């Protein structure tokens, strides 16, 4: 079940009609359901019941403070990839001891900030990064707890732009180099080796690549222990996919993922960390937009809406499919549309040849599964203000990010003296 359902002929988010929010806030906007966020968090925890386990939400998927805090309150940790994300996670109430820091190239300043904060673990991705971390931690009189991100060289069978676990990708340390780099790390000051980390890609809809990667990592843990390292943490990364198209796509459920993971790595007795992003927030959010015009082309019917590629870039960037529904319930899907935004690029297209109820100027649409990698990847291209974000809880909702004014955006620019 989800919390975006039709009641009395119109779509609700939990108990609030989408139309009501649109009337009060204006379109377009993102709208998230607290209950859905919490439910997704809980299903993952249930999937790992019986294990020493910590879910570290990959905040990059949706960094709104209210979203992070909703998850923090039920016990979530965070996976961050920049100082900015680390600051957001801390500010939203995630304790430093539940934070892991991933990312291919942490800078000196970022390392120092994270050491000062006292995070749980750095996921180190290269030898130069290891040496820099050792130097900074030593200078600060601190010890960095680390795992190495291992690249297990498996094909995640997902979109090329979000596949990260093949040898040709820029991520992690090759499995063949792993024992040597752990040996090197053990000799360095300011470093305490505690774990192994991997992340093979995003929107995986098949468990096999995960299983293969986990098997390779499990055997590495045994080798590392034989080499004398105390490996107590296993970070399995994120990546479990969601059904963007509820009709045709049935990715594995968290419970199945957990069962598979426990079977392969459970016997190692490590604390298991997972870093899901999309699965927690993707289907907890919609983008609500209004039809500006309908337009009859030579042989296509365009639905031009007030959201655009700058608000949700996934369709134009990854050819991603997002379900689009009318906010007013109408079971008769009778018209075929290309759903497009107002930006002057053909890539500004949300869907082609989509069958929908007949719609007219002023009608509301919801683009589903927009909670992950939606607002966070948006921009002000075409000087379109970032759109508001709304969080619903039961009968209440709050604007958790306001729509900036045009002046707010324009005044970020400064005119040099010599042009005055
Ligand atoms: N851990 C690490 C180290 C990651 O790089 C990522 C995502 C995650 C966890 C979370 O993965 P998830 O559970 O969300 O699949 N913008 C793209 C997705 C990029 C994913 C990047 N890394 C999209 O819109 O599909």
């Amino acid at each position: 079940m989800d919390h975006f359902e039709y009641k009395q002929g119109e779509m609700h988010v939990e108990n609030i009609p989408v139309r009501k929010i649109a009337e009060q806030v204006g379109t377009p906007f993102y709208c998230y359901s607290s209950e859905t966020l919490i439910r997704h968090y809980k299903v993952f925890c249930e999937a790992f019941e019986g294990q020493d386990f910590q879910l570290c939400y990959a905040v990059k998927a949706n960094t709104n403070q209210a979203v992070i805090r909703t998850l923090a309150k039920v016990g979530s940790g965070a996976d961050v990839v920049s100082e900015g994300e680390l600051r957001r996670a801390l500010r939203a109430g995630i304790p430093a001891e539940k934070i892991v820091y991933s990312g291919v190239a942490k800078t000196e300043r970022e390392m120092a900030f994270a050491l000062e904060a006292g995070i749980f673990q750095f996921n180190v991705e290269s030898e130069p990064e290891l040496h820099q971390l050792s130097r900074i931690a030593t200078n600060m009189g601190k010890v960095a707890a680390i795992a190495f991100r291992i690249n297990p060289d498996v094909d995640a069978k997902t979109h090329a732009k979000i596949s990260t676990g093949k040898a040709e990708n820029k991520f992690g340390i090759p499995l063949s180099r792993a024992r040597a780099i752990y040996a090197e790390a053990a000799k360095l000051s300011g470093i305490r080796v505690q774990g192994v980390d991997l992340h093979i890609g995003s929107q995986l809809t098949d468990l096999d690549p995960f299983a293969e990667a986990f098997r390779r990592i499990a055997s590495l843990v045994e080798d590392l222990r034989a080499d004398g390292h105390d490996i107590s943490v296993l970070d399995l990364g994120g990546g479990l996919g969601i059904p963007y198209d509820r009709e045709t796509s049935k990715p594995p459920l968290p419970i199945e993922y957990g069962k598979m993971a426990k079977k392969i790595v459970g016997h190692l007795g490590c604390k298991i960390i997972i870093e899901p992003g999309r699965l927690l927030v993707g289907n907890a959010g919609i983008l609500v937009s209004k039809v500006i015009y309908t337009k009859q082309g030579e042989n296509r019917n365009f639905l031009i809406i007030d959201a655009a590629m700058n608000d949700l870039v996934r369709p134009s960037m990854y050819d991603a499919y997002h379900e689009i529904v009318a906010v007013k319930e109408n079971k008769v899907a009778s018209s075929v549309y290309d759903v497009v935004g107002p930006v002057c690029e053909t890539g500004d297209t949300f869907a082609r040849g989509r069958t929908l109820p007949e719609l007219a100027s002023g009608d509301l649409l919801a683009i589903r599964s927009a909670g992950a990698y939606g607002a966070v990847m948006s921009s002000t291209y075409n000087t379109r203000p970032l759109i508001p974000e709304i969080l619903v809880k039961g009968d209440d909702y709050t604007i958790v990010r306001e729509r900036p004014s045009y002046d707010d955006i324009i005044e970020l620019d400064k005119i040099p003296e010599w042009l005055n």
Side-chain angles (χ1 to χ4, degrees), residues 56-58 60-61 79-81 102-103 123 125 149 161-162 164 171 197-199 201-204 235 237-241 244 274-280 313-314 317-318 320 372-374 377:
C56 291
Y57 164 51
K60 62 156 73 83
D79 168 54
V80 302
V81 292
S102 302
N123 290 335
E125 297 218 18
R149 176 168 176 179
K161 285 189 185 164
I162 51 175
T164 54
F171 301 95
D197 165 55
L198 81 164
H199 170 77
S202 194
Q203 186 53 17
L204 273 72
D235 181 341
L240 190 57
Y244 278 99
I274 59 167
E275 306 168 351
R278 191 188 311 267
L279 203 135
L280 294 185
V313 77
R314 304 195 67 260
M317 192 156 177
Y318 312 111
Y373 308 110
M377 292 180 79

Side-chain angles (χ1 to χ4, degrees), residues 283-389:
N283 281 332
I286 55 174
L287 194 171
V288 179
S289 179
K290 192 187 276 177
V291 177
I292 311 177
Y293 301 117
T294 55
K295 173 169 163 176
Q296 188 60 55
E298 184 73 49
N299 46 25
R300 311 205 61 98
N301 208 4
F302 295 103
L303 203 56
I304 311 175
I305 64 175
D306 65 0
M309 63 189 287
N310 69 297
D311 303 311
L312 176 67
V313 77
R314 304 195 67 260
S316 60
M317 192 156 177
Y318 312 111
D319 295 317
Y321 179 96
H322 281 261
E323 213 177 304
I324 300 177
V325 295
V327 165
K328 196 158 160 223
E329 187 168 28
N330 183 345
K331 299 211 167 74
V332 194
S334 54
S335 306
V336 178
Y337 294 109
D338 282 6
V339 184
V340 301
V343 168
C344 303
E345 294 194 27
T346 304
D348 185 25
T349 296
F350 291 109
R352 283 171 64 79
R354 200 65 72 81
T355 307
L356 290 167
E358 190 171 344
L359 291 161
S361 176
D363 285 342
L364 294 173
L365 288 177
I367 303 180
R368 293 183 57 106
S369 312
Y373 308 110
V376 283
M377 292 180 79
S378 59
S379 76
T380 55
Y381 186 37
N382 281 206
T383 307
R384 293 168 48 87
L386 294 181
I387 67 177
E389 293 174 274

Side-chain angles (χ1 to χ4, degrees), residues 19-264:
R19 175 193 41 83
K20 187 173 149 196
I21 305 175
E23 282 165 7
Q24 292 171 1
V25 177
T27 56
F29 61 90
Y30 279 102
C31 186
Y32 312 126
S33 151
S34 304
E35 282 309 317
T36 311
L37 292 170
I38 294 168
R39 185 168 61 83
H40 289 165
Y41 176 80
K42 290 193 171 151
V43 293
F44 261 126
C45 292
E46 280 159 26
F48 283 88
E49 220 154 54
Q51 296 280 323
D52 182 4
F53 172 73
Q54 178 64 53
L55 187 153
C56 291
Y57 164 51
V59 301
K60 62 156 73 83
N62 186 321
T63 45
N64 191 288
Q65 290 285 282
V67 169
I68 303 176
R69 182 162 307 192
T70 301
L71 293 168
K73 284 204 147 178
V74 285
S76 184
D79 168 54
V80 302
V81 292
S82 67
E83 181 176 334
E85 284 191 357
L86 176 52
R87 285 177 183 269
R88 277 185 181 274
L90 291 168
R91 203 100 55 104
I94 300 207
E97 61 273 15
K98 287 189 188 172
I99 297 181
V100 297
Y101 196 148
S102 302
V104 269
K106 300 159 204 79
T107 63
E108 267 191 61
R109 175 197 153 124
E110 289 178 315
M111 287 174 177
F113 184 80
L115 282 164
E116 202 52 67
I119 63 163
F120 177 70
Q121 176 169 294
F122 288 84
N123 290 335
V124 177
E125 297 218 18
S126 67
E127 285 170 80
E129 200 185 38
L130 169 68
H131 286 284
Q132 172 156 294
L133 185 57
S134 160
R135 186 167 50 76
I136 294 170
T138 306
N139 287 344
M140 290 172 71
K142 306 254 183 207
V143 175
I146 70 154
F148 284 107
R149 176 168 176 179
I150 302 300
N151 184 328
D153 192 20
V154 296
D155 184 352
K157 301 199 184 80
T158 181
H159 191 287
K161 285 189 185 164
I162 51 175
S163 182
T164 54
K166 288 276 290 169
E168 71 214 39
N169 301 132
K170 69 181 173 187
F171 301 95
I173 311 266
L175 198 49
S176 57
R177 294 263 318 125
R179 289 173 87 166
I181 199 171
Y182 273 90
E184 195 179 324
K187 291 189 254 156
L188 294 180
S189 64
I191 297 287
R192 183 170 57 79
V193 169
Q194 69 176 21
V196 179
D197 165 55
L198 81 164
H199 170 77
I200 59 171
S202 194
Q203 186 53 17
L204 273 72
T205 52
D206 182 355
L207 287 184
D208 292 347
F210 284 120
E212 185 52 35
F214 296 171
R215 274 193 285 274
R216 293 182 189 188
I217 275 343
S219 114
L220 174 66
V221 170
E222 277 160 5
D223 290 346
L224 292 172
R225 284 178 172 164
D227 292 346
H229 302 286
D230 183 10
I231 304 294
S232 59
V233 179
L234 195 49
D235 181 341
L236 301 176
L240 190 57
I242 61 170
Y244 278 99
D245 182 349
R246 286 175 299 168
E247 300 258 294
T248 60
S249 149
K250 298 260 175 279
L253 299 171
I255 191 81
E256 296 160 326
Y257 168 86
K259 202 168 150 200
M260 172 277 294
K262 283 197 283 195
K263 202 162 126 200
I264 299 173

